[in-house]
Amino acid sequence: MFVRNFFKGGAKVPHFKNTAEFETVKMDVPEKVIIPMLQHVGAPCEPCVKKGDTVRVGQVIGDSNEYISSPIHSSVSGTVTDVAPVLHAGGFYVTAVEIKTDGKQEIYEGIKPPVFSDSKEFVSAIRQSGLVGLGGAGFPAHVKLSPPPSKKIDTLIINAAECEPYITSDYREIIENSWNVVSGINIIMEVLGIDNVVIGIEDNKPEAIKEMVRVAATNSKIKVVKLKSRYPQGAEKMLIYATTGRKVPPGKLPANVGVIVMNVNSVSFISEYIKTGMPLIKKRVTVDGPSVKRPANVEALIGTPISEVFNFCGGFGIVPKKILMGGPMMGIAQFTLDTAVVKHTNALLAFDETKAVLPKEQDCIRCGRCVKACPMNLLPLYLNSNSIKENIEELNKYHVMDCIECGSCSYVCPAKINLVQSIRLGKTQVKQAAAKGGN
């Protein structure tokens, strides 16, 4: 096992890994599922079914001809009751397929283990599986696994850092399915011809480190790296630097430095998919927060309304003031409990008023803490001020688009300025200006 130093910047956040030793529990099939046609980075899917159609488990119900997209499958058997816009967990409207379940969970007749003889066929099979990055980003896996021929990939990095507070989904995958993780790694190594694998795990997860060291001993090319616990250690560029010492240039991708990064749940899924042919239809979700009666790690079918997930955990002991999909640093606040679990949902957190109320913003004192905390070496205070002024030229000058929205700057700001929200707005301003032919 190797130990490396952490990246520059970031923040020391509390862990709150309350559910770390809670074994995953499986939810029953809900009465209905609501499956959005956008569960990935890239183009949304078009529904392949209509109201009144009968569907089965694993059947494709949405797809797209766009390269950066990923097909979507039914997680249940039943009848399509509606195809209409719904509020997405991300806060916007998107077409979704609503299915009334029949309780039978009949498997679609086309489900069978994929057959492949080369990397092209393997990547095609991964696309058919509907796999996207399961760590939260949702980038289509088939795109990640097919870098340009000009980019020589020599290292596969497995992201098991799980640096966000509360979330323990990746940790449970290691503890419960470590052999699947190694099997998935071995498949990728063999098919893509990758010689080196690094598994990065923060040092606040000693049992996960111990388990991966044990199972990785079967392949001398797999190394486990113990990472210092510092947020956002699990961010792609931070993880690459922490595990290999390589720096991804601004505007570039991991492939530019010879690396592919995959979440630990993603590689484990690949192993299971190769054996069964069942596409991505379920997700482990950490359910926690002061308002939740019985915190747990829950296996939920994709499309399950989040209200039912919370009810499965006993509901709310204290009335929640804020519901987050994801962690407290980068999670998205939910407007309603009617939104559904999607492919990259890794946590549902409920906070009472004492934990959810944000302090009032004060004037910037130019202390520079946000600059010191930024892992991307940006100047958040200048990005904030130029976003407020809608100064596109200055936003570009200070590289607003390189911000990974990790929230480290907001976390350390003594004036409690909502820097991330402001920077996100600045990004939108830059995109809109570019679309209009501006700077």
Side-chain angles (χ1 to χ4, degrees):
M1 182 178 64
F2 296 82
V3 181
R4 289 189 182 271
N5 292 324
F6 51 78
F7 54 91
K8 173 189 174 295
K12 191 71 174 177
V13 300
H15 300 148
F16 296 126
K17 302 289 188 179
N18 308 316
T19 59
E21 303 312 318
F22 291 12
E23 187 174 350
T24 306
V25 288
K26 185 176 180 180
M27 281 188 67
D28 293 333
V29 179
E31 291 185 1
K32 72 172 182 179
V33 292
I34 303 167
I35 304 179
M37 293 292 100
L38 180 61
Q39 302 189 38
H40 48 262
V41 172
C45 292
E46 293 294 329
C48 304
V49 293
K50 63 183 183 301
K51 186 176 180 179
D53 286 353
T54 298
V55 297
R56 292 182 171 85
V57 178
Q59 180 178 340
V60 175
I61 59 173
D63 206 347
S64 169
N65 292 325
E66 298 294 329
Y67 179 58
I68 302 182
S69 187
S70 184
I72 294 168
H73 305 77
S74 177
S75 57
V76 297
S77 62
T79 304
V80 177
T81 52
D82 204 1
V83 179
V86 300
L87 184 63
H88 189 275
F92 49 86
Y93 281 89
V94 65
T95 300
V97 175
E98 180 183 284
I99 304 170
K100 179 178 173 55
T101 61
D102 58 18
K104 299 177 182 179
Q105 287 302 87
E106 295 178 335
I107 306 300
Y108 180 62
E109 57 269 19
I111 299 299
K112 57 183 179 180
V115 176
F116 53 90
S117 58
D118 55 29
S119 60
K120 185 177 180 180
E121 291 178 353
F122 171 70
V123 169
S124 177
I126 295 302
R127 187 193 185 281
Q128 293 170 23
S129 78
L131 178 62
V132 303
L134 299 181
F139 193 80
H142 68 279
V143 178
K144 184 173 287 190
L145 291 171
S146 51
S150 60
K151 310 297 182 186
K152 171 60 179 173
I153 305 299
D154 58 40
T155 302
L156 172 65
I157 298 176
I158 306 303
N159 188 349
E162 201 160 48
C163 57
E164 276 261 19
Y166 289 97
I167 307 177
T168 61
S169 176
D170 290 351
Y171 174 80
R172 291 312 309 174
E173 187 65 25
I174 292 174
I175 298 301
E176 298 174 22
N177 299 308
S178 59
W179 286 108
N180 264 359
V181 174
V182 171
S183 174
I185 291 171
N186 287 335
I187 291 169
I188 296 171
M189 290 180 69
E190 180 179 354
V191 175
L192 299 187
I194 297 175
D195 292 329
N196 303 297
V197 177
V198 180
I199 305 173
I201 310 175
E202 284 193 326
D203 59 13
N204 64 347
K205 306 173 186 66
E207 291 304 314
I209 293 171
K210 180 180 177 181
E211 178 62 12
M212 287 315 303
V213 168
R214 182 181 74 85
V215 296
T218 58
N219 187 337
S220 61
K221 295 181 179 180
I222 302 175
K223 308 299 180 185
V224 178
V225 175
K226 181 168 71 173
L227 306 170
K228 292 189 177 182
S229 298
R230 188 168 185 84
Y231 179 84
Q233 187 69 264
E236 203 167 57
K237 292 184 178 182
M238 279 72 258
L239 185 66
I240 292 171
Y241 177 72
T243 55
T244 68
R246 303 178 191 180
K247 294 183 179 180
V248 181
K252 301 297 183 181
L253 298 172
N256 290 93
V257 294
V259 167
I260 290 175
V261 181
M262 296 198 73
N263 174 264
V264 67
N265 268 287
S266 298
V267 294
S268 184
F269 168 81
I270 288 175
S271 172
E272 194 65 24
Y273 172 67
I274 296 303
K275 289 184 285 187
T276 68
M278 181 57 70
L280 182 58
I281 60 166
K282 60 186 179 181
K283 189 69 170 67
R284 182 190 292 105
V285 181
T286 297
V287 186
D288 201 355
S291 289
V292 179
K293 274 190 177 180
R294 297 195 303 269
N297 284 299
V298 175
E299 182 186 289
L301 294 174
I302 289 170
T304 300
I306 65 174
S307 59
E308 295 199 26
V309 181
F310 282 117
N311 288 338
F312 181 76
C313 296
F316 302 121
I318 306 172
V319 176
K321 180 72 173 179
K322 180 169 287 188
I323 304 288
L324 294 180
M325 183 176 285
M329 298 297 288
M330 293 187 72
I332 303 296
Q334 298 300 294
F335 177 75
T336 173
L337 291 176
D338 293 334
T339 54
V341 172
V342 293
K343 293 179 181 181
H344 50 281
T345 302
N346 51 14
L348 291 169
L349 307 179
F351 296 95
D352 61 13
E353 189 163 7
T354 62
K355 300 293 184 182
V357 175
L358 297 175
K360 185 178 179 180
E361 281 190 343
Q362 301 177 36
D363 293 334
C364 174
I365 60 174
R366 301 180 69 82
C367 64
R369 292 183 191 178
C370 61
V371 177
K372 185 177 180 180
C374 180
M376 297 300 292
N377 297 311
L378 303 177
L379 302 175
L381 72 166
Y382 290 138
L383 294 176
N384 174 62
S385 62
N386 284 294
S387 174
I388 293 170
K389 291 183 289 187
E390 299 186 25
N391 190 328
I392 305 302
E393 183 177 350
E394 289 295 293
L395 286 169
N396 281 319
K397 175 182 175 181
Y398 289 109
H399 303 282
V400 69
M401 301 307 293
D402 287 340
C403 172
I404 61 173
E405 301 178 22
C406 67
S408 296
C409 55
S410 295
Y411 183 81
V412 302
C413 177
K416 306 304 178 185
I417 298 172
N418 295 320
L419 293 164
V420 175
Q421 290 89 331
S422 180
I423 293 171
R424 188 177 292 139
L425 179 60
K427 284 183 170 184
T428 301
Q429 294 166 0
V430 169
K431 292 176 183 176
Q432 290 174 342
K436 293 177 181 178
N439 293 328

